[in-house]
Amino acid sequence: MKEVLFMTVAVVGVGYTDFRSTTPDVSFKEQMFEAAAKAYQDAGVHPRKDIGSFITGAEDYWEGYSIFDEFVPDQLGATLRPVCTISGDGLQALLTGAMQVKTGLMDVVAVESHSAASDLLSFHGIVSHGLDPVYNRNMNVNPFFVAGLEMRKYLSETKASREQCARVVTKNKLNAMDNPLAAYPAVMSIEEVMKSEMVSNPLTRRDISPLADGAIVMVLASEKKAKELSENPIWLKGMSWISETPWLESRDWSDATYARLSSEKAFKMADITNPQKQLDLVEVDDWFSYKELQHLEAIGVCEKGQAGKLLEQGQFDRDGDTPVNVSGGRLGAGNLLEASSLQSVLECVIQLRGHAGKRQIKGAHTAAAQSWRGVPTATGSMLVLSNEK
Amino acid sequence: MSFDKNTNPLKLHHLVGDMEADYIYTPGVAGDKFFKALRDDEKFLATHCESCNHTYMPPRMYCERCFSKLDKWVEAESTGVVDTYSLAHEDRDGEKLAEPVIVAFIRIDKTDGGIIHQLGGVDHESVKIGMKVKAVLKDKSKRTGGLNDIDHFAPA
Ligand SMILES: [Zn+2]
């Protein structure tokens, strides 16, 4: 039994569309088909005979369908096969796929997540419906007030500055300039971020990642299959996911405890004792600017209250000690809703394969992808990947 | 990737749909008792877990820490401390509000929880984390048995 539990899992194929602000020319199914076809080609597998199980990470409300899992099999090549949808982010779906392989139930699993955000006519209304109806929906304000509250507390507790949060935005948009998939690359000034209109003070428009459309598919395989299929499998070394209390009234409002606990567990599995030294790059959730700083501290890349200063010193730049969100993150590549966490994994895989072109981190062999499910959740995951088994 | 993508934007088609989703939401046994005491007696009731020494505001019938059922009710204060706050400029649909609203998380005295509500009677610039505030209830005739029976929290 123990042997089975420790079975190794690798990413052997990735496929993706460009990330774009709108995609009026294609349906979400056509986007999924494009990403899936590319991923299967990359892995050298055919979905109708080689893939044992198909998993998507999606939420009915983002999609505009009830029972959304009924709408995924055909465009993935998954009809008449084991299919399920994880009502969570793409990384939670990927971890579910990894477990199916780890248990020995499946040899090859396809994992998908996408965003059709530009089809949403009532984005804020849907986010508002994530708030507790009895205790938290009574105020007629933008549901991102939850991020405004958290940002204020974070700035107050850590003494991080407003400018440092703005620098996260400028860094990630600049990183996106060298990511051909990114929807929102820009050379933006800190002043532009700080002077953009207030949404929920201290949170401004530019502190919020802009929505984008896109689809990502990954093919996972057991060690035996991975060695057959791939010359450069990327191994999953550690993984965990945590949900804190859903009650806003029971949170401490300053720490990303979900990120701390999930990274502690994942790092233990991966033998990461010093994340700052051992991780060659890190992709963390940056739905809002301050979340990148908060997440870096929570996962132990630096001490609490240090992330802003280290950012200013260039430590998290592409050529810094710990490059953070080289892909551009949600702020630069675009907020792909549930698929952004797979975008983080995708960047890690491309970097660890050495295929990142201009933005390649030289000699990268261990990377981490951290996710957060957005307002008002306190749910997140962590995945450590390596190109060495 | 697709073989014949539409290249003429004038020929793009879409349908507009509406996902109807109307519900009733039940506050439950704990919420019912909380809102009735607030409406009728102007009292803030909380539940207490003795093994965790933890007081829940809003009250719950179970402890999320030790997973025990809670039946010990305690009276909390109508006062508290601003734990964090934000000035919201947009309404729930993302449209600009005529007047921005100060939203705060208030840690309620004698509990380990709190209430998220609006602050009134104070400028945004004067609000501070740690500031003492008290609940201002609506006139008794206007109360409906929900969180809006509290009109706002004001400096104490
Ligand atoms: Zn307890």
Side-chain angles (χ1 to χ4, degrees):
Chain A
M1 192 63 195
K2 206 164 190 182
E3 233 166 277
V4 173
L5 279 173
F6 284 89
M7 189 176 287
T8 313
V9 184
V11 178
V12 296
V14 291
Y16 39 85
T17 64
D18 289 347
F19 311 134
R20 288 156 57 188
S21 57
T22 57
T23 50
D25 53 332
V26 283
S27 71
F28 82 88
K29 286 195 165 209
E30 289 161 350
Q31 288 182 278
M32 285 173 68
F33 175 72
E34 175 181 337
K38 287 176 175 172
Y40 304 157
Q41 169 85 10
D42 186 40
V45 294
H46 195 284
R48 304 305 293 157
K49 53 184 172 59
D50 303 321
I51 298 178
S53 163
F54 301 80
I55 302 169
T56 59
E59 273 281 0
D60 286 6
Y61 260 85
W62 290 140
E63 306 296 339
Y65 290 78
S66 302
I67 322 179
F68 181 70
D69 56 302
E70 289 299 300
F71 293 86
V72 299
D74 53 331
Q75 67 271 31
L76 293 176
T79 54
L80 306 173
R81 311 293 286 282
V83 180
C84 72
T85 293
I86 297 294
S87 174
D89 72 31
L91 190 42
Q92 289 172 310
L94 186 144
L95 301 184
T96 304
M99 287 187 286
Q100 291 188 357
V101 176
K102 263 186 180 282
T103 56
L105 187 67
M106 303 292 172
D107 284 331
V108 181
V109 173
V111 177
E112 188 274 349
S113 195
H114 64 272
S115 160
S118 72
D119 290 342
L120 286 175
L121 297 182
S122 49
F123 172 77
H124 289 94
I126 288 170
V127 179
S128 290
H129 274 270
L131 294 168
D132 183 279
V134 177
Y135 295 101
N136 300 144
R137 277 190 215 165
N138 55 310
M139 287 166 300
N140 175 33
V141 295
N142 186 323
F144 286 170
F145 82 82
V146 176
L149 291 177
E150 193 183 50
M151 182 174 180
R152 172 94 61 198
K153 187 73 188 263
Y154 174 78
L155 295 180
S156 161
E157 290 252 314
T158 60
K159 309 297 173 210
S161 69
R162 187 62 203 78
E163 288 81 354
Q164 288 166 344
C165 295
R167 190 175 288 271
V168 172
V169 182
T170 62
K171 170 182 72 72
N172 290 359
K173 284 186 175 292
L174 189 66
N175 281 347
M177 294 288 283
D178 286 327
N179 181 355
L181 300 178
Y184 296 98
V187 181
M188 190 179 275
S189 69
I190 286 172
E191 197 183 19
E192 155 104 40
V193 179
M194 300 206 11
K195 282 194 171 164
S196 65
E197 80 187 303
M198 263 317 160
V199 173
S200 200
N201 192 326
L203 191 76
T204 70
R205 179 76 60 218
R206 300 266 178 257
D207 286 305
I208 304 171
S209 55
L211 298 173
D213 294 355
I216 300 169
V217 172
M218 299 205 172
V219 180
L220 306 179
S222 63
E223 181 174 354
K224 185 167 170 286
K225 270 282 175 196
K227 285 177 174 165
E228 276 172 40
L229 290 168
S230 181
E231 285 170 12
N232 52 6
I234 303 302
W235 304 98
L236 310 187
K237 305 293 284 187
M239 59 189 81
S240 182
W241 65 104
I242 294 281
S243 288
E244 290 182 50
T245 180
W247 289 79
L248 298 179
E249 295 86 351
S250 286
R251 294 191 192 156
D252 82 354
W253 285 93
S254 67
D255 291 323
T257 308
Y258 58 89
R260 179 171 59 78
L261 294 177
S262 57
S263 60
E264 279 172 7
K265 284 167 191 268
F267 290 170
K268 195 173 177 200
M269 279 175 80
D271 288 327
I272 304 285
T273 50
N274 184 340
Q276 193 266 324
K277 278 212 163 65
Q278 289 172 269
L279 297 173
D280 299 310
L281 67 136
V282 179
E283 294 275 312
V284 297
D285 192 280
D286 61 337
W287 189 310
F288 305 103
S289 59
Y290 72 95
K291 288 302 271 186
E292 175 170 311
L293 302 177
Q294 185 196 40
H295 285 148
L296 287 170
E297 293 167 3
I299 69 173
V301 163
C302 60
E303 297 286 314
K304 186 169 177 181
Q306 297 302 305
K309 282 175 221 156
L310 294 172
L311 175 77
E312 282 180 333
Q313 292 163 12
Q315 291 239 36
F316 305 138
D317 289 351
R318 202 164 77 194
D319 58 0
D321 280 356
T322 306
V324 176
N325 287 332
V326 179
S327 68
R330 287 195 200 250
L331 288 161
N335 181 348
L336 300 169
L337 301 175
E338 308 295 4
S340 272
S341 55
L342 276 198
Q343 196 277 134
S344 302
V345 178
L346 175 65
E347 179 66 16
C348 294
V349 170
I350 292 173
Q351 290 281 351
L352 295 173
R353 284 177 168 185
H355 293 174
K358 272 178 85 175
R359 67 182 195 283
Q360 180 64 45
I361 306 299
K362 286 200 179 65
H365 69 89
T366 306
Q370 180 266 339
S371 76
W372 171 57
R373 288 203 66 214
V375 163
T377 82
T379 290
S381 308
M382 171 58 90
L383 176 68
V384 181
L385 306 98
S386 175
N387 53 19
E388 292 165 14
K389 198 182 144 275
Chain B
M1 179 67 202
S2 315
F3 304 114
D4 296 304
K5 275 191 185 173
N6 187 354
T7 54
N8 181 352
L10 297 174
K11 285 188 176 169
L12 293 172
H13 291 278
H14 68 263
L15 304 168
V16 177
D18 183 8
M19 233 174 132
E20 287 176 44
D22 300 321
Y23 288 87
I24 58 159
Y25 295 102
T26 43
V29 177
D32 205 50
K33 190 161 172 168
F34 173 72
F35 286 121
K36 277 181 179 155
L38 183 65
R39 181 190 65 194
D40 301 338
D41 308 321
E42 309 194 347
K43 283 182 178 169
F44 282 72
L45 297 188
T47 52
H48 181 72
C49 177
E50 285 185 331
S51 52
C52 297
N53 192 25
H54 194 90
T55 303
Y56 286 94
M57 170 63 70
R60 277 180 253 172
M61 295 306 285
Y62 44 82
C63 177
E64 70 173 36
R65 302 186 164 212
C66 68
F67 201 61
S68 59
K69 191 170 188 290
L70 300 182
D71 50 18
K72 187 180 179 192
W73 286 80
V74 294
E75 190 180 338
E77 303 289 331
S78 63
T79 55
V81 167
V82 172
D83 190 67
T84 181
Y85 65 98
S86 176
L87 185 67
H89 289 259
E90 296 181 352
D91 69 13
R92 71 182 293 283
D93 298 316
E95 303 294 331
K96 200 98 189 151
L97 284 164
E99 281 296 323
V101 174
I102 310 171
V103 179
F105 174 50
I106 298 125
R107 288 204 180 275
I108 297 294
D109 292 338
K110 291 190 179 169
T111 77
D112 295 293
I115 287 176
I116 290 173
H117 220 292
Q118 294 184 23
L119 295 186
V122 60
D123 292 340
H124 175 246
E125 286 71 31
S126 313
V127 180
K128 295 271 179 294
I129 287 177
M131 187 173 165
K132 288 191 182 308
V133 291
K134 63 173 191 301
V136 177
L137 300 191
K138 282 209 172 103
D139 187 78
K140 201 158 190 174
S141 63
K142 289 182 180 155
R143 292 179 203 155
T144 58
L147 203 66
N148 281 343
D149 287 355
I150 304 170
D151 190 71
H152 62 276
F153 280 77

